[in-house]
Amino acid sequence: MAKRIRVDIPGQKPYDIVIERGLLERLGTDAAEFGLDGRVIVGTNTTLAPLYGQQLVTRLPDAGISYMEDGEEYKNLDTISRFYDQFLKQGADRHTTVVALGGGVVGDAVGFAAASFMRGVRFVQAPTSLLAMVDSSVGGKVGVDLPQGKNLVGAFKQPEVVLIDPDVLETLPKEQWRCGMGEIVKHGFIADEGLLDEKLHRKKYAEDLVARAVQVKVNVVEEDPYEHSVRAYLNLGHTFGHAIEQVTQYEWMHGDAVGFGLMAAATLSHDLGMIDEDLVKRVRQVLAEAELPRYIRDIDPGAIWDAMTTDKKWKNGVSRFVLLEGMNRPTIVEGIERDKVVKVLESLKR
């Protein structure tokens, strides 16, 4: 039984997030239902192309395939240029629909290519990782990285539809499931405490887990589609996390970095007198249950701070963190000094 969550953003065409087991296979007979009966280009990566990409191209009535290398290090402007070349070779025009089939890196990069190719073509998200299902495929943010920082080039590009098939999670590696849990527990701390229940964190409950986490993001995105206010709450843990990704040259996966970022944000919140020790312990416990990092070893806290200074959430060089005032009470705090942040990071070295 398909679950449908409607995303209704003022001034934009509403679209559905469809969560259904076997959905990718069903597209072969129901392409028109999702607007995929015309010319389609499936954008994916070299790993997923033989697993799911070629099958999807074969099922659709008029489809070609374009792909990028697999990995965050390829989420850059060179890859976008190559997508443009491939789109043209595949015969894409302004009426073509581009489908992003893959995890968050693919969704971000293919989405940005779709947003900018011929000033924007129809775009569909088909996330294949837990992380992409509950986070990057929802809300319309697309973009790529620069050497100076993550997601510094991008656009808002709402999809026509988001197609989530939980069956693809059966082949998802354990570390990728863990990474998705980083975003899910973040949603639990900012809005839905029920998502922190360890009993839900199993693949057999994937449909309900994904639907519940997606609903948190949809609620926020509908209220603040262009991140002028409360949408920034979705960045809890991300200022720390993005900096760690950059400093380690993306050896840390995004979900792991966000997991540690939650620990750092909770510790900083406590040090500033905003929350009590019990909530810090709760964050530590939930991260441990999800097997997410709570500590760093060989990463220089000063280097993490330096990487934060290019964070796009900062304003006029002033630090800006999403912290907690309590369970499901996120807030934004500006102007926190370097010494306080470095002290937190030093306390979390093991």
Side-chain angles (χ1 to χ4, degrees), residues 204-251:
K204 67 178 181 179
Y205 300 125
E207 283 179 274
D208 291 336
L209 186 65
V210 168
R212 193 162 178 172
V214 164
Q215 189 65 63
V216 169
K217 186 159 188 180
V218 168
N219 292 345
V220 174
V221 167
E222 287 184 334
E223 183 177 350
D224 179 22
Y226 300 111
E227 199 170 314
H228 296 311
S229 57
V230 298
R231 184 164 177 170
Y233 295 161
L234 294 169
N235 290 316
L236 179 66
H238 282 61
T239 297
F240 290 99
H242 285 170
I244 285 175
E245 287 180 274
Q246 184 181 341
V247 168
T248 63
Q249 298 182 318
Y250 301 101
E251 289 182 6

mmCIF file of all heavy atoms in Angstrom, residues 204-251:
data_model
loop_
_atom_site.group_PDB
_atom_site.id
_atom_site.type_symbol
_atom_site.label_atom_id
_atom_site.label_comp_id
_atom_site.label_asym_id
_atom_site.label_seq_id
_atom_site.Cartn_x
_atom_site.Cartn_y
_atom_site.Cartn_z
ATOM 1 N N LYS A 204 12.938 -3.752 8.429
ATOM 2 C CA LYS A 204 11.569 -4.226 8.243
ATOM 3 C C LYS A 204 10.539 -3.137 8.527
ATOM 4 O O LYS A 204 9.381 -3.244 8.114
ATOM 5 C CB LYS A 204 11.301 -5.467 9.101
ATOM 6 C CG LYS A 204 11.305 -5.238 10.607
ATOM 7 C CD LYS A 204 10.981 -6.553 11.320
ATOM 8 C CE LYS A 204 10.951 -6.394 12.829
ATOM 9 N NZ LYS A 204 10.619 -7.669 13.515
ATOM 10 N N TYR A 205 10.947 -2.085 9.226
ATOM 11 C CA TYR A 205 10.047 -0.962 9.489
ATOM 12 C C TYR A 205 10.373 0.239 8.603
ATOM 13 O O TYR A 205 9.968 1.366 8.893
ATOM 14 C CB TYR A 205 10.141 -0.541 10.955
ATOM 15 C CG TYR A 205 9.770 -1.616 11.943
ATOM 16 C CD1 TYR A 205 10.638 -1.996 12.965
ATOM 17 C CD2 TYR A 205 8.547 -2.280 11.860
ATOM 18 C CE1 TYR A 205 10.314 -2.984 13.878
ATOM 19 C CE2 TYR A 205 8.205 -3.273 12.766
ATOM 20 C CZ TYR A 205 9.094 -3.622 13.763
ATOM 21 O OH TYR A 205 8.750 -4.610 14.663
ATOM 22 N N ALA A 206 11.097 -0.017 7.507
ATOM 23 C CA ALA A 206 11.613 1.085 6.685
ATOM 24 C C ALA A 206 10.515 2.002 6.170
ATOM 25 O O ALA A 206 10.671 3.229 6.172
ATOM 26 C CB ALA A 206 12.420 0.535 5.519
ATOM 27 N N GLU A 207 9.384 1.446 5.730
ATOM 28 C CA GLU A 207 8.323 2.297 5.180
ATOM 29 C C GLU A 207 7.833 3.307 6.209
ATOM 30 O O GLU A 207 7.713 4.510 5.927
ATOM 31 C CB GLU A 207 7.159 1.440 4.696
ATOM 32 C CG GLU A 207 7.397 0.758 3.367
ATOM 33 C CD GLU A 207 6.216 -0.101 2.957
ATOM 34 O OE1 GLU A 207 6.171 -1.271 3.391
ATOM 35 O OE2 GLU A 207 5.355 0.393 2.226
ATOM 36 N N ASP A 208 7.535 2.813 7.398
ATOM 37 C CA ASP A 208 7.025 3.703 8.443
ATOM 38 C C ASP A 208 8.099 4.670 8.919
ATOM 39 O O ASP A 208 7.827 5.854 9.164
ATOM 40 C CB ASP A 208 6.499 2.885 9.627
ATOM 41 C CG ASP A 208 5.232 2.118 9.286
ATOM 42 O OD1 ASP A 208 4.521 2.538 8.351
ATOM 43 O OD2 ASP A 208 4.954 1.098 9.943
ATOM 44 N N LEU A 209 9.326 4.194 9.052
ATOM 45 C CA LEU A 209 10.424 5.036 9.511
ATOM 46 C C LEU A 209 10.672 6.174 8.525
ATOM 47 O O LEU A 209 10.792 7.345 8.919
ATOM 48 C CB LEU A 209 11.685 4.182 9.663
ATOM 49 C CG LEU A 209 12.918 4.858 10.273
ATOM 50 C CD1 LEU A 209 12.668 5.256 11.713
ATOM 51 C CD2 LEU A 209 14.125 3.915 10.186
ATOM 52 N N VAL A 210 10.719 5.834 7.241
ATOM 53 C CA VAL A 210 10.950 6.847 6.216
ATOM 54 C C VAL A 210 9.794 7.840 6.170
ATOM 55 O O VAL A 210 10.003 9.061 6.126
ATOM 56 C CB VAL A 210 11.158 6.180 4.841
ATOM 57 C CG1 VAL A 210 11.106 7.221 3.719
ATOM 58 C CG2 VAL A 210 12.482 5.440 4.805
ATOM 59 N N ALA A 211 8.561 7.333 6.188
ATOM 60 C CA ALA A 211 7.402 8.218 6.106
ATOM 61 C C ALA A 211 7.366 9.200 7.276
ATOM 62 O O ALA A 211 7.061 10.391 7.105
ATOM 63 C CB ALA A 211 6.111 7.396 6.066
ATOM 64 N N ARG A 212 7.686 8.715 8.443
ATOM 65 C CA ARG A 212 7.640 9.571 9.630
ATOM 66 C C ARG A 212 8.732 10.639 9.585
ATOM 67 O O ARG A 212 8.498 11.805 9.912
ATOM 68 C CB ARG A 212 7.781 8.706 10.881
ATOM 69 C CG ARG A 212 7.447 9.397 12.169
ATOM 70 C CD ARG A 212 7.188 8.376 13.250
ATOM 71 N NE ARG A 212 6.918 9.023 14.511
ATOM 72 C CZ ARG A 212 6.497 8.376 15.605
ATOM 73 N NH1 ARG A 212 6.312 7.059 15.557
ATOM 74 N NH2 ARG A 212 6.270 9.032 16.728
ATOM 75 N N ALA A 213 9.934 10.227 9.170
ATOM 76 C CA ALA A 213 11.029 11.192 9.070
ATOM 77 C C ALA A 213 10.774 12.206 7.958
ATOM 78 O O ALA A 213 11.059 13.402 8.107
ATOM 79 C CB ALA A 213 12.349 10.463 8.838
ATOM 80 N N VAL A 214 10.246 11.747 6.837
ATOM 81 C CA VAL A 214 9.927 12.651 5.727
ATOM 82 C C VAL A 214 8.893 13.687 6.152
ATOM 83 O O VAL A 214 8.990 14.861 5.792
ATOM 84 C CB VAL A 214 9.429 11.844 4.507
ATOM 85 C CG1 VAL A 214 8.724 12.756 3.505
ATOM 86 C CG2 VAL A 214 10.595 11.133 3.834
ATOM 87 N N GLN A 215 7.906 13.259 6.931
ATOM 88 C CA GLN A 215 6.858 14.190 7.355
ATOM 89 C C GLN A 215 7.440 15.340 8.174
ATOM 90 O O GLN A 215 6.990 16.487 8.053
ATOM 91 C CB GLN A 215 5.793 13.450 8.172
ATOM 92 C CG GLN A 215 4.558 14.301 8.461
ATOM 93 C CD GLN A 215 3.799 14.650 7.198
ATOM 94 O OE1 GLN A 215 3.283 13.776 6.506
ATOM 95 N NE2 GLN A 215 3.725 15.948 6.892
ATOM 96 N N VAL A 216 8.448 15.050 8.998
ATOM 97 C CA VAL A 216 9.106 16.115 9.764
ATOM 98 C C VAL A 216 9.677 17.162 8.811
ATOM 99 O O VAL A 216 9.455 18.367 8.979
ATOM 100 C CB VAL A 216 10.236 15.546 10.654
ATOM 101 C CG1 VAL A 216 11.090 16.675 11.231
ATOM 102 C CG2 VAL A 216 9.651 14.703 11.788
ATOM 103 N N LYS A 217 10.392 16.700 7.805
ATOM 104 C CA LYS A 217 11.020 17.655 6.885
ATOM 105 C C LYS A 217 9.979 18.401 6.071
ATOM 106 O O LYS A 217 10.111 19.609 5.838
ATOM 107 C CB LYS A 217 12.018 16.951 5.972
ATOM 108 C CG LYS A 217 12.793 17.944 5.112
ATOM 109 C CD LYS A 217 14.093 17.407 4.589
ATOM 110 C CE LYS A 217 14.889 18.513 3.901
ATOM 111 N NZ LYS A 217 16.173 18.032 3.369
ATOM 112 N N VAL A 218 8.945 17.701 5.617
ATOM 113 C CA VAL A 218 7.895 18.360 4.835
ATOM 114 C C VAL A 218 7.236 19.471 5.646
ATOM 115 O O VAL A 218 6.991 20.575 5.136
ATOM 116 C CB VAL A 218 6.852 17.331 4.359
ATOM 117 C CG1 VAL A 218 5.609 18.031 3.807
ATOM 118 C CG2 VAL A 218 7.457 16.414 3.299
ATOM 119 N N ASN A 219 6.956 19.200 6.905
ATOM 120 C CA ASN A 219 6.320 20.225 7.753
ATOM 121 C C ASN A 219 7.167 21.490 7.814
ATOM 122 O O ASN A 219 6.647 22.608 7.754
ATOM 123 C CB ASN A 219 6.099 19.676 9.163
ATOM 124 C CG ASN A 219 5.052 18.583 9.222
ATOM 125 O OD1 ASN A 219 4.280 18.395 8.271
ATOM 126 N ND2 ASN A 219 5.011 17.847 10.315
ATOM 127 N N VAL A 220 8.481 21.307 7.938
ATOM 128 C CA VAL A 220 9.381 22.454 8.033
ATOM 129 C C VAL A 220 9.504 23.164 6.690
ATOM 130 O O VAL A 220 9.447 24.391 6.609
ATOM 131 C CB VAL A 220 10.769 22.006 8.536
ATOM 132 C CG1 VAL A 220 11.746 23.172 8.505
ATOM 133 C CG2 VAL A 220 10.672 21.447 9.950
ATOM 134 N N VAL A 221 9.658 22.395 5.627
ATOM 135 C CA VAL A 221 9.841 22.972 4.293
ATOM 136 C C VAL A 221 8.600 23.761 3.865
ATOM 137 O O VAL A 221 8.714 24.834 3.255
ATOM 138 C CB VAL A 221 10.175 21.868 3.272
ATOM 139 C CG1 VAL A 221 10.061 22.384 1.847
ATOM 140 C CG2 VAL A 221 11.578 21.325 3.529
ATOM 141 N N GLU A 222 7.421 23.250 4.173
ATOM 142 C CA GLU A 222 6.202 23.971 3.805
ATOM 143 C C GLU A 222 6.111 25.315 4.530
ATOM 144 O O GLU A 222 5.624 26.301 3.963
ATOM 145 C CB GLU A 222 4.972 23.120 4.124
ATOM 146 C CG GLU A 222 4.778 21.955 3.172
ATOM 147 C CD GLU A 222 3.507 21.182 3.447
ATOM 148 O OE1 GLU A 222 3.025 21.188 4.611
ATOM 149 O OE2 GLU A 222 2.974 20.558 2.516
ATOM 150 N N GLU A 223 6.584 25.351 5.759
ATOM 151 C CA GLU A 223 6.548 26.599 6.522
ATOM 152 C C GLU A 223 7.609 27.584 6.047
ATOM 153 O O GLU A 223 7.387 28.811 6.066
ATOM 154 C CB GLU A 223 6.746 26.296 8.014
ATOM 155 C CG GLU A 223 6.649 27.521 8.902
ATOM 156 C CD GLU A 223 6.767 27.188 10.383
ATOM 157 O OE1 GLU A 223 6.743 25.987 10.740
ATOM 158 O OE2 GLU A 223 6.874 28.133 11.183
ATOM 159 N N ASP A 224 8.763 27.059 5.609
ATOM 160 C CA ASP A 224 9.891 27.936 5.261
ATOM 161 C C ASP A 224 10.663 27.330 4.088
ATOM 162 O O ASP A 224 11.745 26.787 4.269
ATOM 163 C CB ASP A 224 10.798 28.101 6.488
ATOM 164 C CG ASP A 224 12.009 28.977 6.223
ATOM 165 O OD1 ASP A 224 11.970 29.785 5.282
ATOM 166 O OD2 ASP A 224 13.007 28.836 6.948
ATOM 167 N N PRO A 225 10.130 27.414 2.856
ATOM 168 C CA PRO A 225 10.740 26.712 1.731
ATOM 169 C C PRO A 225 12.118 27.209 1.343
ATOM 170 O O PRO A 225 12.919 26.445 0.788
ATOM 171 C CB PRO A 225 9.737 26.938 0.589
ATOM 172 C CG PRO A 225 8.943 28.131 0.982
ATOM 173 C CD PRO A 225 8.875 28.085 2.479
ATOM 174 N N TYR A 226 12.454 28.476 1.623
ATOM 175 C CA TYR A 226 13.719 29.027 1.157
ATOM 176 C C TYR A 226 14.683 29.356 2.299
ATOM 177 O O TYR A 226 15.608 30.143 2.150
ATOM 178 C CB TYR A 226 13.457 30.274 0.306
ATOM 179 C CG TYR A 226 12.597 29.954 -0.895
ATOM 180 C CD1 TYR A 226 11.293 30.433 -0.985
ATOM 181 C CD2 TYR A 226 13.087 29.142 -1.914
ATOM 182 C CE1 TYR A 226 10.493 30.120 -2.074
ATOM 183 C CE2 TYR A 226 12.287 28.824 -3.003
ATOM 184 C CZ TYR A 226 10.990 29.315 -3.084
ATOM 185 O OH TYR A 226 10.213 28.994 -4.156
ATOM 186 N N GLU A 227 14.473 28.721 3.437
ATOM 187 C CA GLU A 227 15.369 28.818 4.593
ATOM 188 C C GLU A 227 15.581 30.267 5.053
ATOM 189 O O GLU A 227 16.697 30.735 5.215
ATOM 190 C CB GLU A 227 16.722 28.139 4.306
ATOM 191 C CG GLU A 227 17.475 27.804 5.596
ATOM 192 C CD GLU A 227 18.697 26.926 5.377
ATOM 193 O OE1 GLU A 227 18.594 25.932 4.638
ATOM 194 O OE2 GLU A 227 19.741 27.229 5.960
ATOM 195 N N HIS A 228 14.480 30.961 5.276
ATOM 196 C CA HIS A 228 14.550 32.297 5.853
ATOM 197 C C HIS A 228 14.414 32.264 7.373
ATOM 198 O O HIS A 228 14.731 33.229 8.052
ATOM 199 C CB HIS A 228 13.457 33.189 5.267
ATOM 200 C CG HIS A 228 13.603 33.436 3.798
ATOM 201 N ND1 HIS A 228 14.792 33.842 3.228
ATOM 202 C CD2 HIS A 228 12.718 33.329 2.781
ATOM 203 C CE1 HIS A 228 14.634 33.978 1.925
ATOM 204 N NE2 HIS A 228 13.387 33.669 1.621
ATOM 205 N N SER A 229 13.903 31.134 7.908
ATOM 206 C CA SER A 229 13.682 31.072 9.361
ATOM 207 C C SER A 229 13.828 29.631 9.858
ATOM 208 O O SER A 229 14.949 29.132 9.974
ATOM 209 C CB SER A 229 12.302 31.651 9.712
ATOM 210 O OG SER A 229 11.265 30.966 9.009
ATOM 211 N N VAL A 230 12.692 28.942 10.104
ATOM 212 C CA VAL A 230 12.732 27.663 10.818
ATOM 213 C C VAL A 230 13.373 26.534 10.028
ATOM 214 O O VAL A 230 13.781 25.523 10.613
ATOM 215 C CB VAL A 230 11.317 27.236 11.276
ATOM 216 C CG1 VAL A 230 10.740 28.247 12.252
ATOM 217 C CG2 VAL A 230 10.393 27.042 10.074
ATOM 218 N N ARG A 231 13.485 26.664 8.707
ATOM 219 C CA ARG A 231 14.117 25.580 7.955
ATOM 220 C C ARG A 231 15.570 25.380 8.375
ATOM 221 O O ARG A 231 16.128 24.285 8.252
ATOM 222 C CB ARG A 231 14.036 25.836 6.448
ATOM 223 C CG ARG A 231 14.601 24.677 5.627
ATOM 224 C CD ARG A 231 14.204 24.734 4.179
ATOM 225 N NE ARG A 231 14.815 23.646 3.420
ATOM 226 C CZ ARG A 231 14.498 23.330 2.179
ATOM 227 N NH1 ARG A 231 13.566 24.007 1.542
ATOM 228 N NH2 ARG A 231 15.098 22.337 1.557
ATOM 229 N N ALA A 232 16.172 26.438 8.883
ATOM 230 C CA ALA A 232 17.548 26.320 9.372
ATOM 231 C C ALA A 232 17.660 25.301 10.497
ATOM 232 O O ALA A 232 18.743 24.744 10.730
ATOM 233 C CB ALA A 232 18.057 27.676 9.845
ATOM 234 N N TYR A 233 16.550 25.021 11.204
ATOM 235 C CA TYR A 233 16.606 24.032 12.282
ATOM 236 C C TYR A 233 17.030 22.660 11.769
ATOM 237 O O TYR A 233 17.581 21.850 12.522
ATOM 238 C CB TYR A 233 15.252 23.912 12.970
ATOM 239 C CG TYR A 233 14.808 25.155 13.705
ATOM 240 C CD1 TYR A 233 13.463 25.336 14.024
ATOM 241 C CD2 TYR A 233 15.711 26.149 14.088
ATOM 242 C CE1 TYR A 233 13.035 26.477 14.706
ATOM 243 C CE2 TYR A 233 15.283 27.283 14.757
ATOM 244 C CZ TYR A 233 13.943 27.442 15.067
ATOM 245 O OH TYR A 233 13.536 28.569 15.732
ATOM 246 N N LEU A 234 16.735 22.376 10.487
ATOM 247 C CA LEU A 234 17.136 21.095 9.909
ATOM 248 C C LEU A 234 18.650 20.943 9.841
ATOM 249 O O LEU A 234 19.157 19.854 9.566
ATOM 250 C CB LEU A 234 16.537 20.946 8.506
ATOM 251 C CG LEU A 234 15.010 20.838 8.437
ATOM 252 C CD1 LEU A 234 14.525 20.978 7.000
ATOM 253 C CD2 LEU A 234 14.521 19.526 9.046
ATOM 254 N N ASN A 235 19.377 22.038 10.092
ATOM 255 C CA ASN A 235 20.838 21.998 10.077
ATOM 256 C C ASN A 235 21.436 21.680 11.442
ATOM 257 O O ASN A 235 22.651 21.838 11.630
ATOM 258 C CB ASN A 235 21.391 23.339 9.577
ATOM 259 C CG ASN A 235 21.116 23.558 8.105
ATOM 260 O OD1 ASN A 235 21.279 22.659 7.297
ATOM 261 N ND2 ASN A 235 20.661 24.761 7.758
ATOM 262 N N LEU A 236 20.629 21.239 12.389
ATOM 263 C CA LEU A 236 21.185 20.828 13.680
ATOM 264 C C LEU A 236 22.298 19.806 13.453
ATOM 265 O O LEU A 236 22.101 18.793 12.780
ATOM 266 C CB LEU A 236 20.083 20.202 14.555
ATOM 267 C CG LEU A 236 20.536 19.695 15.927
ATOM 268 C CD1 LEU A 236 20.980 20.848 16.820
ATOM 269 C CD2 LEU A 236 19.407 18.898 16.595
ATOM 270 N N GLY A 237 23.474 20.084 13.973
ATOM 271 C CA GLY A 237 24.615 19.186 13.815
ATOM 272 C C GLY A 237 25.390 19.360 12.534
ATOM 273 O O GLY A 237 26.495 18.828 12.381
ATOM 274 N N HIS A 238 24.856 20.140 11.580
ATOM 275 C CA HIS A 238 25.465 20.201 10.259
ATOM 276 C C HIS A 238 26.653 21.155 10.169
ATOM 277 O O HIS A 238 27.537 20.947 9.337
ATOM 278 C CB HIS A 238 24.411 20.576 9.220
ATOM 279 C CG HIS A 238 23.524 19.436 8.833
ATOM 280 N ND1 HIS A 238 22.719 18.779 9.751
ATOM 281 C CD2 HIS A 238 23.326 18.807 7.651
ATOM 282 C CE1 HIS A 238 22.060 17.811 9.133
ATOM 283 N NE2 HIS A 238 22.409 17.809 7.866
ATOM 284 N N THR A 239 26.678 22.201 10.971
ATOM 285 C CA THR A 239 27.839 23.092 10.921
ATOM 286 C C THR A 239 29.091 22.329 11.340
ATOM 287 O O THR A 239 30.138 22.417 10.690
ATOM 288 C CB THR A 239 27.616 24.319 11.814
ATOM 289 O OG1 THR A 239 26.506 25.061 11.302
ATOM 290 C CG2 THR A 239 28.841 25.217 11.828
ATOM 291 N N PHE A 240 28.988 21.562 12.415
ATOM 292 C CA PHE A 240 30.093 20.691 12.817
ATOM 293 C C PHE A 240 30.347 19.612 11.758
ATOM 294 O O PHE A 240 31.479 19.338 11.380
ATOM 295 C CB PHE A 240 29.785 20.021 14.159
ATOM 296 C CG PHE A 240 29.803 20.943 15.334
ATOM 297 C CD1 PHE A 240 28.629 21.459 15.859
ATOM 298 C CD2 PHE A 240 31.003 21.299 15.938
ATOM 299 C CE1 PHE A 240 28.642 22.307 16.962
ATOM 300 C CE2 PHE A 240 31.040 22.142 17.035
ATOM 301 C CZ PHE A 240 29.853 22.652 17.552
ATOM 302 N N GLY A 241 29.252 18.977 11.296
ATOM 303 C CA GLY A 241 29.377 17.858 10.379
ATOM 304 C C GLY A 241 30.019 18.219 9.059
ATOM 305 O O GLY A 241 30.923 17.529 8.568
ATOM 306 N N HIS A 242 29.554 19.309 8.439
ATOM 307 C CA HIS A 242 30.124 19.714 7.158
ATOM 308 C C HIS A 242 31.604 20.050 7.297
ATOM 309 O O HIS A 242 32.405 19.759 6.397
ATOM 310 C CB HIS A 242 29.365 20.921 6.603
ATOM 311 C CG HIS A 242 28.028 20.580 6.048
ATOM 312 N ND1 HIS A 242 27.100 21.529 5.678
ATOM 313 C CD2 HIS A 242 27.427 19.388 5.785
ATOM 314 C CE1 HIS A 242 26.015 20.946 5.218
ATOM 315 N NE2 HIS A 242 26.191 19.647 5.277
ATOM 316 N N ALA A 243 31.969 20.681 8.409
ATOM 317 C CA ALA A 243 33.380 21.029 8.627
ATOM 318 C C ALA A 243 34.235 19.778 8.730
ATOM 319 O O ALA A 243 35.350 19.719 8.180
ATOM 320 C CB ALA A 243 33.519 21.885 9.879
ATOM 321 N N ILE A 244 33.747 18.763 9.415
ATOM 322 C CA ILE A 244 34.498 17.513 9.540
ATOM 323 C C ILE A 244 34.648 16.832 8.177
ATOM 324 O O ILE A 244 35.717 16.315 7.830
ATOM 325 C CB ILE A 244 33.825 16.578 10.561
ATOM 326 C CG1 ILE A 244 34.097 17.099 11.974
ATOM 327 C CG2 ILE A 244 34.319 15.143 10.414
ATOM 328 C CD1 ILE A 244 33.408 16.341 13.060
ATOM 329 N N GLU A 245 33.571 16.844 7.397
ATOM 330 C CA GLU A 245 33.673 16.281 6.046
ATOM 331 C C GLU A 245 34.772 16.990 5.252
ATOM 332 O O GLU A 245 35.581 16.350 4.572
ATOM 333 C CB GLU A 245 32.333 16.427 5.321
ATOM 334 C CG GLU A 245 31.241 15.495 5.814
ATOM 335 C CD GLU A 245 29.949 15.701 5.051
ATOM 336 O OE1 GLU A 245 29.167 16.591 5.434
ATOM 337 O OE2 GLU A 245 29.737 14.990 4.059
ATOM 338 N N GLN A 246 34.784 18.307 5.332
ATOM 339 C CA GLN A 246 35.763 19.072 4.565
ATOM 340 C C GLN A 246 37.186 18.814 5.054
ATOM 341 O O GLN A 246 38.099 18.576 4.251
ATOM 342 C CB GLN A 246 35.444 20.565 4.661
ATOM 343 C CG GLN A 246 36.350 21.438 3.806
ATOM 344 C CD GLN A 246 36.024 22.919 3.943
ATOM 345 O OE1 GLN A 246 34.941 23.283 4.386
ATOM 346 N NE2 GLN A 246 36.963 23.772 3.579
ATOM 347 N N VAL A 247 37.384 18.837 6.380
ATOM 348 C CA VAL A 247 38.725 18.661 6.945
ATOM 349 C C VAL A 247 39.282 17.271 6.634
ATOM 350 O O VAL A 247 40.477 17.109 6.387
ATOM 351 C CB VAL A 247 38.701 18.919 8.465
ATOM 352 C CG1 VAL A 247 40.002 18.469 9.121
ATOM 353 C CG2 VAL A 247 38.464 20.401 8.743
ATOM 354 N N THR A 248 38.418 16.262 6.644
ATOM 355 C CA THR A 248 38.866 14.894 6.370
ATOM 356 C C THR A 248 38.809 14.546 4.888
ATOM 357 O O THR A 248 39.015 13.383 4.524
ATOM 358 C CB THR A 248 38.022 13.872 7.154
ATOM 359 O OG1 THR A 248 36.656 13.935 6.713
ATOM 360 C CG2 THR A 248 38.097 14.135 8.648
ATOM 361 N N GLN A 249 38.542 15.548 4.054
ATOM 362 C CA GLN A 249 38.424 15.332 2.610
ATOM 363 C C GLN A 249 37.407 14.230 2.305
ATOM 364 O O GLN A 249 37.595 13.380 1.444
ATOM 365 C CB GLN A 249 39.779 15.017 1.988
ATOM 366 C CG GLN A 249 40.780 16.165 2.142
ATOM 367 C CD GLN A 249 42.117 15.893 1.498
ATOM 368 O OE1 GLN A 249 42.649 14.782 1.595
ATOM 369 N NE2 GLN A 249 42.663 16.893 0.837
ATOM 370 N N TYR A 250 36.303 14.291 3.061
ATOM 371 C CA TYR A 250 35.139 13.416 2.876
ATOM 372 C C TYR A 250 35.431 11.949 3.176
ATOM 373 O O TYR A 250 34.715 11.067 2.707
ATOM 374 C CB TYR A 250 34.521 13.602 1.476
ATOM 375 C CG TYR A 250 34.088 15.032 1.267
ATOM 376 C CD1 TYR A 250 34.871 15.921 0.531
ATOM 377 C CD2 TYR A 250 32.928 15.513 1.861
ATOM 378 C CE1 TYR A 250 34.499 17.251 0.377
ATOM 379 C CE2 TYR A 250 32.543 16.841 1.713
ATOM 380 C CZ TYR A 250 33.334 17.701 0.975
ATOM 381 O OH TYR A 250 32.955 19.007 0.832
ATOM 382 N N GLU A 251 36.469 11.694 3.974
ATOM 383 C CA GLU A 251 36.658 10.337 4.488
ATOM 384 C C GLU A 251 35.533 9.991 5.464
ATOM 385 O O GLU A 251 35.147 8.831 5.589
ATOM 386 C CB GLU A 251 38.014 10.207 5.170
ATOM 387 C CG GLU A 251 39.197 10.234 4.205
ATOM 388 C CD GLU A 251 40.524 10.062 4.926
ATOM 389 O OE1 GLU A 251 40.508 9.804 6.155
ATOM 390 O OE2 GLU A 251 41.568 10.198 4.269
#
